Amino acid sequence: MLPIVGNVGGRRMEKKYDRLRLNSGQHRRVMLAALLLGLAAFVPVGARLYGLMIRDYDYYANLALRNQTRTTTVMAQRGDIFDRNMELLASSKTVENVYLDPHELKQSKADIDEISRTLGNILEKDPAWIAQQAADTRKRYKQVGSSVDEETAAKIRDYINAKNISGIHLEPTTKRVYPQSTLAAQVIGFTNSSGDGCEGVEAAYDAYLSGRTGRVITTKGNNEMDMPFSYENYVSARQGDSVILTLDATVQACLEKQMKAAIGRYDVQNGAFGLVMNCKTGEILAMATLGSYDPNSYLEIADPEIAAQLENQRLSYLSLQPDSEEFANGQKAYTDALSAARLKQWRNRVLSDGYEPGSTFKVLTMAAALDCGAIDLNTNFHCSGSEQIPGRAQRLHCWRSAGHGAEKTPQALQNSCNIAFAHIALKLGGERFYEYIEKFGILEKTGIDLAGESKGVFFDKALVTNTDKWGTASLTSGSFGQTFKITPLQLVRAIASVVNGGYLLEPYIVSEIVDADGNTVMQAEPTVVRQTISKETSDTMRTLIASVVTEGTAKNAKVAGFSIGGKTGTSEKIDVFDENGQRVLDKIVSFVGIAPMDDPEYIVLVALDTPSRQTGIYISGGVMAAPTVGAVMGDILPYLGVERHYSEEEEQGKEVVLEKFIDLTGKDAASKLKRMGLTAQFVGTGETVTAQIPEPGQTVPGGSQVLLYLGEHPEQETVEVPDFVGLNRQQASDAAGALGLYVLVTGNDEISTQVTVTAQNVPKGEKVPRGTTITLEFTDTAARD
C-alpha cells in the first residue's frame, strides 16, 4: 500500500504556516514596540521644539535679533536753563568720547604699545590701562576718553590719519556747561557723568530737561562686524525742554557779593545763606548758600582748607601697609569724609536746613496777637531786664540787661524786647499761638518746586497749649524764636504774608518751560495758599516793621532814598555741643528786610553762621546782618526799578552823577550845580569853565562842592586813601576833606560816636585821583539783638 504523500505535505505546510503566523505576531509586537520607543523618543524632542517654536518663540526671536543687530544710543540734547532775563545759566556743548574697537585693532594688526603710549599722552591716562582695554577682544567698544574737548579730539584725529589706524574711534556727545561758574550753584545743581540731573533745578526738572534718547539699529555678522547695506533703523532723539527761572542773575550776584563781604568782614566760620523773594508773587529772585562750589567740577571740594585737610587725610592712610586693618579703616574714613564734604557744599540750606530764627520770629508773634485782638498799639509793657514768669522754671532775661523800662507795642518790636514778647505770648495763649503758627505755614513745607525741602521742627501742640511749666516755657520762648527750628524759606514766606495783605504764597523758582521750537510747555503762576491775617493787620504791621529800621535795632539797614523795614535776629545753637559735651557758644545772626514799605515788593533774608569772636565786633543781627541786607538793598533796588525819594537828612547819601561843565560860563555852571543839589567853588578869574574836579561822569554825594577852574588847568594829583574804619561821621569827613576826597555815606546815617565806619569800597593805601568819592558804610556798633 502506497503512503499518502499529500497528507504529509499538508501537515508540513500547516506547521510552516504556524511558524509564519508566529513570526508575524512577533513582528507586529516588534513594530509596536519600535513605534512606542520612537514616540517616547520624539516626545521630548517635540516638547523641545514646541518650547522653541511656539511657547518661547518671542524670547528666542528677540535673542536672535540681538545677536544679529547692534543698537547704538543717540543721546538727546539736554535743554538749557535761563534766568528770568534769558541769561544762560546752564547749557550743553558738543564734546567727544574716545573708544577702541579691540577686534578691529587686532585684525588691522595695529601696534598696541605705540597706540597706548600716544593716547595715554594725549588723554593723560595710564598707557598700561589703555593697552589692557585694547586687549579685551570680548568687547567691540572700550571707552578710554570721556567728554574730550575739540582741541584734544583734533590731536587724536591727526594721529589716526597720520598712522592710518583702524580701531580708534571718536563719537560725539554732550557735556553740561555752567557759564556763571559758582553763581546760584545750589539752585541750579549739576548733571553727573551719565547726564542725569543731580541737585537743584537739574534734578527737579530732569524729566523736562533730559528729552528722549534715540537709537540706531544695524545688522552685524561674525565677530560682531557691521554688515553694510543690509538693514538700518533710526529712531530720532527728542531735544530736552529749556527751563526759564524766576531767578535774576544780577540780583543773585549782588546777594552773593554782599554775603561774601560779610563773611570776610566778620570772619564767619560756617558760611552764610540768604534769599530774595517777591512779596507779591512768591517768585525767588535769588537764593544762595556760601561756601559754594562750581558745578562744572562738582566733585572737587571748593573750600581750600577742607580740600587740604582731606588731602592730608588721604596721604596719611596711603602711607600705611596696604593690606593692613589700619589702611582699610583710614581709607574708609577718608571716603566718608570726602562724601560728607561734597554733600555739604551741594546742600541748599535755604530750604533744607532748620535753624532758630531768633527775634526775626517776633514779627509773626506780634502780627498774630494784633490780628486776634490779644493786644493793640497801646498795650503797655515793662521791661526791667529780667523777670520770673509765673509757670516758667527759669528766669527770663532780655538781651538788654538794664531793661527797656515802660514801653508800648511799637516800642516792644523796635526794641526787640524779650520780656514784652513773653507777655504778648501769654496774652495770645497757646491755642491761638498754635493756630497762627499753622496759618503762617510753619508746620508744613512751602511747596517750592525744588527737591530736598524740609519743614523744620516745631513744638507739639499739646506742649504749647499745656499750662504746666513746660508749656509756659515753650510758649514764651517760642514767641521770640527760640527752642525750635524752621527753614529760612518758611520764615521768609510767613513774613511776606504779614506785609503783603495777609496772603501766604507758594514760592517757586521756575517760571516757564519751553520746547525746542519755543512753544510753552508749562507756565507757572502765583499761588495763594491761605489768608494768614487781615489786610488791616497787615497795614499796621508794615508801619511797625518800618519803624524798626528808622527807630529801632535795625538802623544799620538804612539805605538813603529807600523806605526799608525789617527785623533783626540773633540765635544760639542750643543743640550743638563740642567734643567735651559742652554746648557751643556759636550764634547765627540774621536780618529780614523788606522794601519799599509803602508797597512791599521785595523781601531779603541774610543769615551769617558763627561770626568769629576774634574780630572784636559785637555779635548781633543788628551789627552784622542788618548792614549786609542794607547793602544788598542798595544794590538791587535801583536795578529793579524802585524809585528813590531822598529826605533832607539823607542828602549826604544821595548819589549825584556829574555832568560836563567845561565850556559853560561860571554863572551857568553854578546854576546847573544848584539844580542838582550841589555847590560850586571857583578857582581862577576867567569867564568860562576850563576844568572841573571831579571829572564828568564821576559820582559825588548830594550837597557836595565841585571845583570849577576858570581859565586854569589843575595839575593831575593823586592821594593815598586813608583807613576810615573805626572813624565816626565827623572824623571821616575831616580825613577825606583834608585829602580832597568825597565821602558817600551808606548804612546808619545817625551822627553819634557809636556810629562808625565798618567798611570802605576803596582799600586803604590805594592811590586815587583827588576828587574821588569813597563809599563808607556806617554801623552802630552798639546795636544789639
Side-chain angles (χ1 to χ4, degrees):
M1 186 174 185
L2 294 172
I4 303 174
V5 177
N7 289 339
V8 173
R11 285 194 293 273
R12 290 176 180 171
M13 290 298 292
E14 287 179 1
K15 291 180 179 179
K16 183 177 180 180
Y17 291 149
D18 289 341
R19 287 196 298 270
L20 289 173
R21 284 195 296 268
L22 178 61
N23 291 338
S24 177
Q26 291 175 340
H27 179 71
R28 285 195 297 271
R29 287 194 294 272
V30 170
M31 290 296 292
L32 179 61
L35 177 63
L36 292 174
L37 289 173
L39 289 173
F42 181 75
V43 166
V45 175
R48 180 60 175 162
L49 290 173
Y50 171 81
L52 290 172
M53 301 177 66
I54 299 175
R55 186 190 64 203
D56 299 327
Y57 171 80
D58 291 338
Y59 170 77
Y60 287 105
N62 290 330
L63 186 62
L65 186 63
R66 286 199 299 271
N67 288 334
Q68 298 169 29
T69 60
R70 183 197 314 281
T71 300
T72 303
T73 299
V74 179
M75 297 301 295
Q77 179 83 5
R78 192 171 179 86
D80 297 330
I81 300 176
F82 299 94
D83 85 334
R84 67 189 302 117
N85 301 312
M86 298 306 292
E87 186 167 344
L88 190 63
L89 300 177
S91 65
S92 298
K93 73 173 183 179
T94 300
V95 291
E96 297 189 68
N97 292 333
V98 184
Y99 72 93
L100 307 178
D101 184 335
H103 278 287
E104 200 173 350
L105 290 171
K106 183 178 180 181
Q107 290 177 351
S108 64
K109 299 181 180 180
D111 187 341
I112 302 300
D113 289 338
E114 183 198 351
I115 289 173
S116 301
R117 288 193 302 272
T118 304
L119 290 183
N121 182 50
I122 296 173
L123 297 172
E124 298 181 353
K125 296 285 182 70
D126 182 7
W129 176 80
I130 294 177
Q132 186 180 7
Q133 306 308 304
D136 186 5
T137 56
R138 295 171 302 171
K139 301 288 185 181
R140 295 298 305 272
Y141 183 99
K142 299 293 289 187
Q143 184 171 302
V144 295
S146 174
S147 300
V148 301
D149 57 33
E150 185 178 342
E151 182 180 353
T152 303
K155 290 180 181 178
I156 295 173
R157 281 197 179 87
D158 291 342
Y159 172 63
I160 293 171
N161 295 331
K163 298 292 184 178
N164 195 25
I165 298 173
S166 296
I168 304 176
H169 301 279
L170 293 99
E171 59 178 357
T173 185
T174 58
K175 178 183 179 181
R176 204 62 167 163
V177 177
Y178 302 91
Q180 305 291 340
S181 186
T182 61
L183 188 76
Q186 289 86 2
V187 175
I188 299 169
F190 56 87
T191 58
N192 60 20
S193 58
S194 300
D196 301 321
C198 298
E199 305 293 332
V201 173
E202 292 278 28
Y205 285 86
D206 186 63
Y208 290 97
L209 289 162
S210 60
R212 184 186 63 212
T213 58
R215 62 183 185 274
V216 178
I217 304 172
T218 57
T219 54
K220 60 184 179 180
N222 292 337
N223 294 325
E224 296 195 353
M225 296 294 289
D226 287 333
M227 298 175 62
F229 314 114
S230 57
Y231 172 82
E232 182 174 279
N233 184 29
Y234 180 77
V235 179
S236 61
R238 182 181 67 80
Q239 183 175 332
D241 300 326
S242 290
V243 173
I244 303 170
L245 306 184
T246 61
L247 210 73
D248 188 307
T250 300
V251 176
Q252 179 78 26
C254 292
L255 175 65
E256 292 189 15
K257 178 188 74 173
Q258 298 300 345
M259 287 169 60
K260 287 176 183 175
I263 288 174
R265 187 181 309 149
Y266 308 121
D267 192 20
V268 178
Q269 301 298 299
N270 295 322
F273 49 88
L275 76 154
V276 181
M277 189 180 86
N278 188 309
C279 295
K280 298 178 179 178
T281 65
E283 294 170 285
I284 303 296
L285 276 71
M287 182 182 286
T289 299
L290 300 180
S292 190
Y293 70 99
D294 187 345
N296 292 297
S297 50
Y298 62 91
L299 292 177
E300 295 181 10
I301 303 303
D303 188 311
E305 289 187 13
I306 296 176
Q309 292 171 6
L310 286 168
E311 179 61 13
N312 290 335
Q313 190 174 359
R314 186 183 73 87
L315 294 175
S316 177
Y317 88 77
L318 286 176
S319 66
L320 302 172
Q321 190 67 28
D323 57 351
S324 66
E325 183 178 351
E326 291 80 4
F327 180 92
N329 292 337
Q331 186 180 48
K332 183 179 184 303
Y334 165 74
T335 303
D336 291 345
L338 178 62
S339 297
R342 286 172 175 167
L343 291 173
K344 182 179 179 181
Q345 70 179 13
W346 299 341
R347 191 173 182 85
N348 188 340
R349 297 180 66 182
V350 173
L351 54 89
S352 296
D353 286 7
Y355 79 113
E356 287 195 8
S359 293
T360 55
F361 196 81
K362 290 172 180 175
V363 171
L364 305 183
T365 302
M366 181 164 283
L370 285 170
D371 193 62
C372 71
I375 62 171
D376 59 31
L377 294 178
N378 293 312
T379 302
N380 292 302
F381 305 96
H382 188 274
C383 172
S384 58
S386 66
E387 184 177 335
Q388 182 63 57
I389 303 291
R392 181 184 169 105
Q394 293 181 322
R395 190 173 184 84
L396 180 63
H397 295 270
C398 188
W399 62 266
R400 185 174 183 178
S401 58
H404 294 104
E407 52 190 349
K408 292 188 177 182
T409 299
Q411 289 75 45
L413 188 65
Q414 293 164 11
N415 297 330
S416 194
C417 178
N418 289 350
I419 302 297
F421 271 86
H423 285 283
I424 290 173
L426 294 173
K427 291 176 182 293
L428 183 60
E431 288 283 351
R432 289 191 296 191
F433 180 70
Y434 209 85
E435 176 187 334
Y436 277 94
I437 290 302
E438 289 179 321
K439 284 184 178 181
F440 285 127
I442 301 303
L443 305 180
E444 64 194 27
K445 295 181 180 180
T446 67
I448 190 171
D449 50 334
L450 287 173
E453 183 183 14
S454 65
K455 63 176 182 178
V457 180
F458 200 77
F459 309 119
D460 183 75
K461 183 176 182 179
L463 180 62
V464 179
T465 57
N466 201 328
T467 57
D468 65 12
K469 64 179 181 179
W470 297 113
T472 300
S474 298
L475 176 61
T476 52
S477 296
S479 70
F480 44 82
Q482 293 186 5
T483 66
F484 66 87
K485 290 184 175 183
I486 59 176
T487 67
L489 188 59
Q490 283 180 304
L491 178 68
V492 166
R493 176 173 81 142
I495 294 179
S497 78
V498 171
V499 298
N500 71 7
Y503 302 109
L504 188 72
L505 298 165
E506 186 176 279
Y508 61 103
I509 196 75
V510 171
S511 64
E512 187 179 4
I513 299 175
V514 296
D515 64 19
D517 298 321
N519 301 310
T520 298
V521 176
M522 188 276 284
Q523 181 80 51
E525 298 291 342
T527 301
V528 176
V529 179
R530 69 179 71 91
Q531 187 87 20
T532 57
I533 57 175
S534 69
K535 183 181 182 304
E536 293 73 22
T537 303
S538 179
D539 292 341
T540 301
M541 285 302 301
R542 282 205 299 272
T543 302
L544 294 175
I545 292 171
S547 72
V548 178
V549 174
T550 57
E551 304 175 52
T553 59
K555 292 177 182 177
N556 291 332
K558 286 182 179 180
V559 180
F562 294 115
S563 172
I564 295 175
K567 186 69 191 76
T568 54
T570 306
S571 60
E572 299 176 348
K573 297 182 178 182
I574 62 171
D575 59 347
V576 180
F577 300 88
D578 61 20
E579 63 274 10
N580 299 316
Q582 300 296 313
R583 200 176 83 183
V584 299
L585 301 176
D586 298 348
K587 294 182 179 180
I588 295 179
V589 298
S590 61
F591 181 73
V592 179
I594 303 145
M597 288 311 296
D598 56 339
D599 185 18
E601 198 162 355
Y602 303 106
I603 181 167
V604 180
L605 164 70
V606 168
L608 309 174
D609 189 348
T610 316
S612 173
R613 297 177 181 275
Q614 305 304 315
T615 62
I617 302 173
Y618 184 81
I619 297 175
S620 77
V623 171
M624 297 174 170
T628 304
V629 171
V632 173
M633 291 287 197
D635 285 343
I636 70 173
L637 293 180
Y639 165 77
L640 293 170
V642 178
E643 192 174 349
R644 281 184 122 130
H645 300 283
Y646 292 96
S647 64
E648 291 184 11
E649 294 78 13
E650 295 174 328
E651 193 66 27
Q652 202 168 355
K654 182 179 181 180
E655 299 178 54
V656 181
V657 179
L658 290 181
E659 298 178 10
K660 180 181 177 182
F661 302 108
I662 297 172
D663 296 333
L664 295 179
T665 65
K667 182 178 180 181
D668 289 343
S671 298
K672 204 167 189 179
L673 284 168
K674 186 176 181 180
R675 290 194 297 271
M676 297 172 68
L678 304 172
T679 60
Q681 179 180 344
F682 294 104
V683 178
T685 58
E687 289 292 326
T688 60
V689 178
T690 53
Q692 66 183 76
I693 295 178
E695 295 181 352
Q698 296 295 310
T699 301
V700 296
S704 296
Q705 189 176 72
V706 178
L707 290 177
L708 299 178
Y709 290 83
L710 303 177
E712 297 185 15
H713 292 276
E715 293 183 6
Q716 294 295 326
E717 184 180 356
T718 60
V719 296
E720 186 176 301
V721 176
D723 184 2
F724 289 100
V725 175
L727 303 182
N728 60 35
R729 281 277 292 277
Q730 188 60 54
Q731 292 169 333
S733 179
D734 292 343
L739 296 170
L741 300 174
Y742 293 89
V743 169
L744 181 66
V745 175
T746 63
N748 196 320
D749 60 0
E750 288 188 327
I751 298 177
S752 166
T753 56
Q754 294 179 330
V755 178
T756 59
V757 178
T758 54
Q760 57 190 77
N761 71 326
V762 181
K764 66 177 181 179
E766 186 171 316
K767 298 279 189 178
V768 297
R770 186 167 174 261
T772 299
T773 297
I774 310 297
T775 302
L776 303 180
E777 181 179 296
F778 287 85
T779 303
D780 181 358
T781 54
R784 299 296 187 259
D785 195 52

